Amino acid sequence: MRALDERVPGLVTGLFVTGSVPLGDYWPGRSDIDFVAVMDRPPTEAELARLAKAHAALEPPLPPGPDYDGIYLTRAQLAVPPAEDGSAPQILAGDFQPARQGGQFNPVTWLELARHGLPILGERPEVALDEGVLRRWLLGNLDGYWAGFAAAAGPQFASIPPETPVPAEPVLWGLTGPGRLHYTLATGEITTKTQAAAYTAGLFPQWAELCERAARSRAGEDVPFTAADGLAATELVAAVVTHAHTHHA
């Protein structure tokens, strides 16, 4: 807020932390800090340039701290469901884009803000929630991003010896990400990555041990993963996508 007040005073009238912090799944060194910034009006070109500078000034010193990943939305945008071709200023992993499509511009962000946004500044705005829009986006993201992830990563993991150690990040990504979307499809609520691992293990007991290891890794344990684990994670992603269409489309 100090960085914003210095560079774009009065532009942001509401600030809410979303993601792992309010949901109780923040792990130092692994989690980012997600936010939704609320504005009464769209920013000018000059204000967008100053927003980029504000985020550049927040880049963490060494050793790296958490990234601030967020989206800037007007109250008018939040008062209606997000359009498929909509865009907004967003910051992701240090990359500020003044008119990014996709990213956090989606119905899950609207739902998170309405149900779990932790207020830092201002009162919670009116947020339009539409179950149909949410379900279409969830199924579309599973069909598009997650099915594509499995199709691309599976052959890569299969091309190396099964016992070869691999980085934890892509394995954890596949074991926790699609399960969160499936949970929201099934319940209409938001869950965490750690809780999604347990939820997915309940749906697919054959991958329960791998999901349990993923939860331990997120909690900071030094859990090794192999190429065989990576391949199994991509198979689980495909199973989650198929199950979502069979039971929740």
Side-chain angles (χ1 to χ4, degrees), residues 155-166 225-231:
Q156 295 180 33
F157 286 123
S159 68
I160 54 181
E163 68 279 4
T164 304
V166 299
F225 292 97
T226 65
D229 296 326
L231 181 60

Side-chain angles (χ1 to χ4, degrees), residues 57 97 113 119 150 240:
Q97 295 187 28
L113 174 61
V240 171

Side-chain angles (χ1 to χ4, degrees), residues 1 4-5 7-13 38-41 47:
M1 283 307 306
L4 295 176
D5 285 342
R7 292 168 174 83
V8 285
L11 176 65
V12 174
T13 56
V38 182
M39 307 174 293
D40 293 342
R41 57 170 177 80
E47 287 172 328

Side-chain angles (χ1 to χ4, degrees), residues 87-150:
S87 65
Q90 298 187 54
I91 177 79
L92 179 64
D95 177 27
F96 180 82
Q97 295 187 28
R100 179 188 174 113
Q101 289 187 316
Q104 294 194 61
F105 198 99
N106 67 66
V108 172
T109 297
W110 268 237
L111 181 63
E112 277 198 76
L113 174 61
R115 300 273 175 84
H116 303 287
L118 178 66
I120 304 300
L121 171 71
E123 297 183 0
R124 196 181 313 277
E126 177 186 351
V127 180
L129 302 180
D130 185 301
E131 181 180 352
V133 171
L134 175 65
R135 294 179 70 82
R136 286 193 297 274
W137 185 86
L138 291 167
L139 288 168
N141 193 259
L142 286 169
D143 286 342
Y145 176 83
W146 286 109
F149 169 83

Side-chain angles (χ1 to χ4, degrees), residues 18-25 34 108-109 111-112 116 134 137-138 141-142 146 172-200 203 218 240 244:
T18 56
S20 59
V21 173
L23 292 172
D25 195 37
D34 301 308
V108 172
T109 297
L111 181 63
E112 277 198 76
H116 303 287
L134 175 65
W137 185 86
L138 291 167
N141 193 259
L142 286 169
W146 286 109
L172 296 183
W173 188 243
L175 293 173
T176 61
R180 296 184 76 191
L181 275 64
H182 191 291
Y183 179 90
T184 301
L185 267 174
T187 68
E189 297 293 337
I190 299 291
T191 193
T192 68
K193 290 180 179 177
T194 300
Q195 292 167 340
Y199 171 76
T200 306
L203 286 176
R218 272 190 58 77
V240 171

